[in-house]
Amino acid sequence: MEFVLSNLVNPALDWGLKVLDAPSVRAVIFGTSIGGHIFVDVLLLLVIIYLLSQKSYKPPKRPLTENEIDELCDEWVPESLIPPITEEMTYQPPVLGSAAGPHAIVNGKEVVNFASANYLGLIGNEKLLESCTSALEKYGVGSCGPRGFYGTIDVHLDCETRIAKFLGTYDSILYSYGLSTMFSAIPAFCKKGDIIVADEGVHWAIQNGLQLSKGTIVYFKHNDISSLQNTLERIIAENKRAKRLRRYIVVEAIYQNSGQIAPLDEIVRLKEKYRFRVLLDESNSFGVLGRSGRGLTEYCGVPVEKIDIITAAMGHALATEGGFCTGNARVIDHQRLSSSGYVFSASLPPYLASAAITAIDILEENPGLLTKLKANVTLLLKELSGIPGLSIASSPESPFVFLRLERSTGSLKNDQLLLEDIAGRVLKKDSLLVVVSKRSTLDKCRLPVGIRLFVSAAHTESDLIKAADSLKRASSLVLKDC
């Protein structure tokens, strides 16, 4: 076999060598003889260059027929406008058939309501209803225009002045929707190239505002001062231009995704050390924290003027709607010209502004509301101690209690299913309405999901005990094997 192969290969090699040595494949350039293989390589290179320079596709010389056009249209499948519908997307939330007070009608039956952030129990308050009725009779329902185009009504200015007076700031600005306050205020000040250091647990409205700002966003560990300090040091050390850029720290007073309270005094200390500005969202603390309900600044003993920008939604403690931003004159005036939610949206319905003024008046006249709320939170925490399979993640001073799994399944989806099972059982068997924190596909928060119980000053002792007993029974059944 080897003899046969050698007889075939050797003549072929001899023939190839003779061809390359032939004069026809040699070239002489400037008196120098060039081997045949070099000549062939150059020739192949020219052919390749020629082919690459040609169009890879030539349209047909004749137009397509009607049948060919129809066939192409039938074969074309457009990309879907929306993602595939999953089982989670078909979830139908409970429907209220009454005011969202401490007791409400849900799906046709009366329940104890721990799903509404009615912290001061002002939903259904007679003074609030009278204020709204008077405003409706005087101004009608809506304003039918943005603030800069005949949408400013005297009650808007009165409300802004009342909020500023209550908080001790120079001025305030009203927004017609709570979430649009953060959507608009953050991009109004933070621009492309600015550095924004934010807590990884901020809620979705703040996340959206950060994305709209186009700034450089850096997250630090949730409510961790050491992580915040390390992040600020790293930014100043690694970015030589950092000291010439606008720099912000964005935090919540009470984090919606955990119920924990931000250590504002430490944050202000770092702000002054590294020359950052602070944007503080007080949506869950306004009207709740502090001796008189003035929020986290009062609670931590920090002068309000040390906080550059304060935002809040009015749909919680004040039992109305809309939002506001408060601060010095330059902060407020800038938003009146540059904040999209203020400039382009119809202004807050005047009866809601009137309700907000009345709610602040009620809070100042009735400090016992805060005392009752704090007592209710303390009682609920005491009754929930030792709840099987769940742990309390929220701060004792938070107006809502945040329960999360002691041992996660390792999957956010499975954790949420377990918690929804608990919430479904207490609603069906004990007529107790609680809410499970949900994360949309747009929400970048990676904190554990949990059950929120929004405590109200209007809850009775029996409501709180019933809630704790019901949750203990349901969690022991659902989490017994976890």
Side-chain angles (χ1 to χ4, degrees):
M1 185 66 179
E2 294 179 357
F3 176 75
V4 174
L5 290 174
S6 63
N7 286 339
L8 292 174
V9 172
N10 290 335
L13 291 174
D14 294 340
W15 180 81
L17 292 173
K18 290 178 180 180
V19 170
L20 292 175
D21 289 338
S24 60
V25 297
R26 292 179 178 273
V28 178
I29 300 177
F30 300 113
T32 303
S33 178
I34 299 177
H37 65 91
I38 295 179
F39 178 78
V40 173
D41 290 344
V42 173
L43 182 62
L44 290 175
L45 179 62
L46 294 174
V47 172
I48 291 171
I49 293 173
Y50 171 78
L51 293 175
L52 290 175
S53 65
Q54 301 302 304
K55 289 184 178 180
S56 59
Y57 169 77
K58 293 183 179 180
K61 294 181 180 180
R62 64 175 181 80
L64 296 174
T65 64
E66 292 293 333
N67 290 336
E68 290 173 333
I69 294 174
D70 292 339
E71 288 178 2
L72 290 174
C73 291
D74 292 338
E75 292 173 0
W76 180 67
V77 179
E79 186 176 350
S80 177
L81 291 175
I82 59 174
I85 302 298
T86 62
E87 185 178 352
E88 298 174 359
M89 296 179 182
T90 60
Y91 167 76
Q92 296 295 328
V95 179
L96 274 74
S98 67
H103 293 256
I105 303 299
V106 174
N107 296 337
K109 69 175 183 179
E110 184 176 345
V111 301
V112 182
N113 182 16
F114 281 89
S116 302
N118 178 29
Y119 297 140
L120 300 179
L122 295 182
I123 288 182
N125 182 278
E126 288 296 330
K127 290 185 177 180
L128 230 62
L129 294 176
E130 291 174 4
S131 174
C132 289
T133 302
S134 299
L136 282 169
E137 292 174 351
K138 181 178 181 179
Y139 303 106
V141 178
S143 60
C144 298
R147 291 287 299 271
F149 298 91
Y150 305 101
T152 295
I153 301 173
D154 54 5
V155 71
H156 292 141
L157 303 177
D158 295 339
C159 185
E160 291 171 345
T161 302
R162 186 69 181 90
I163 292 170
K165 181 181 177 182
F166 179 70
L167 292 176
T169 55
Y170 181 83
D171 199 2
S172 297
I173 182 172
L174 281 182
Y175 287 86
S176 53
Y177 184 44
L179 291 182
S180 69
T181 307
M182 279 65 78
F183 286 1
S184 305
I186 295 175
F189 295 99
C190 308
K191 304 297 182 182
K192 186 175 181 180
D194 294 346
I195 299 174
I196 308 169
V197 178
D199 189 291
E200 65 178 358
V202 293
H203 61 73
W204 179 74
I206 294 178
Q207 294 175 33
N208 196 13
L210 296 177
Q211 294 297 328
L212 291 173
S213 73
K214 306 296 183 182
T216 301
I217 306 165
V218 182
Y219 289 100
F220 64 94
K221 292 181 181 179
H222 178 52
N223 218 24
D224 188 329
I225 286 297
S226 297
S227 175
L228 173 58
Q229 181 168 0
N230 293 337
T231 302
L232 299 180
E233 286 181 351
R234 186 175 68 252
I235 289 173
I236 296 299
E238 296 179 358
N239 192 336
K240 296 181 180 179
R241 297 181 60 246
K243 292 184 178 181
R244 298 194 297 272
L245 300 174
R246 288 176 294 195
R247 306 179 298 280
Y248 302 89
I249 299 172
V250 180
V251 292
E252 292 180 64
I254 301 178
Y255 289 95
Q256 185 173 302
N257 289 319
S258 71
Q260 295 183 16
I261 297 177
L264 188 62
D265 50 347
E266 291 295 317
I267 292 172
V268 169
R269 180 181 63 82
L270 295 178
K271 163 215 169 179
E272 294 175 344
K273 179 179 180 181
Y274 296 100
R275 304 295 183 184
F276 274 67
R277 296 180 175 94
V278 171
L279 193 155
L280 175 66
D281 180 46
E282 295 246 33
S283 293
N284 285 294
S285 59
F286 178 72
V288 174
L289 277 186
R291 182 178 53 83
S292 57
R294 285 173 168 80
L296 188 60
T297 53
E298 183 180 52
Y299 175 79
C300 293
V302 174
V304 70
E305 57 269 14
K306 289 195 174 184
I307 308 303
D308 302 278
I309 305 168
I310 296 176
T311 63
M314 300 192 298
H316 299 157
L318 299 186
T320 178
E321 186 49 80
F324 67 85
C325 180
T326 189
N328 61 44
R330 296 184 66 183
V331 166
I332 302 307
D333 291 343
H334 176 72
Q335 291 178 77
R336 297 194 192 280
L337 297 175
S338 304
S339 181
S340 58
Y342 179 89
V343 174
F344 300 110
S345 296
S347 61
L348 183 71
Y351 71 92
L352 294 177
S354 178
I357 295 172
T358 305
I360 295 175
D361 292 341
I362 292 172
L363 174 59
E364 284 193 323
E365 295 167 2
N366 299 273
L369 290 174
L370 290 175
T371 305
K372 183 66 165 64
L373 174 61
K374 292 173 183 176
N376 283 354
V377 172
T378 301
L379 176 59
L380 182 59
L381 290 174
K382 178 183 176 182
E383 295 296 325
L384 285 171
S385 62
I387 184 170
L390 297 173
S391 62
I392 298 172
S394 52
S395 299
E397 295 82 5
S398 170
F400 65 90
V401 177
F402 194 93
L403 300 173
R404 65 185 180 197
L405 295 172
E406 283 185 343
R407 290 188 297 175
S408 172
T409 62
S411 165
L412 188 69
K413 181 179 179 181
N414 292 335
D415 287 353
Q416 188 164 319
L417 290 175
L418 287 175
L419 296 170
E420 286 177 351
D421 190 5
I422 294 173
R425 286 172 182 263
V426 298
L427 176 60
K428 183 178 181 180
K429 295 184 178 181
D430 299 316
S431 297
L432 177 70
L433 183 63
V434 298
V435 61
V436 177
S437 59
K438 294 182 179 295
R439 302 282 164 75
S440 73
T441 55
L442 300 176
D443 197 334
K444 305 301 182 184
C445 178
R446 291 297 175 261
L447 298 184
V449 291
I451 294 175
R452 292 195 198 99
L453 288 90
F454 293 96
V455 183
S456 172
H459 280 133
T460 64
E461 182 177 334
S462 60
D463 293 337
L464 302 167
I465 294 174
K466 176 181 178 178
D469 291 343
S470 178
L471 284 166
K472 283 183 175 180
R473 286 194 299 271
S475 62
S476 63
L477 291 173
V478 175
L479 305 175
K480 60 183 178 180
D481 296 327
C482 295

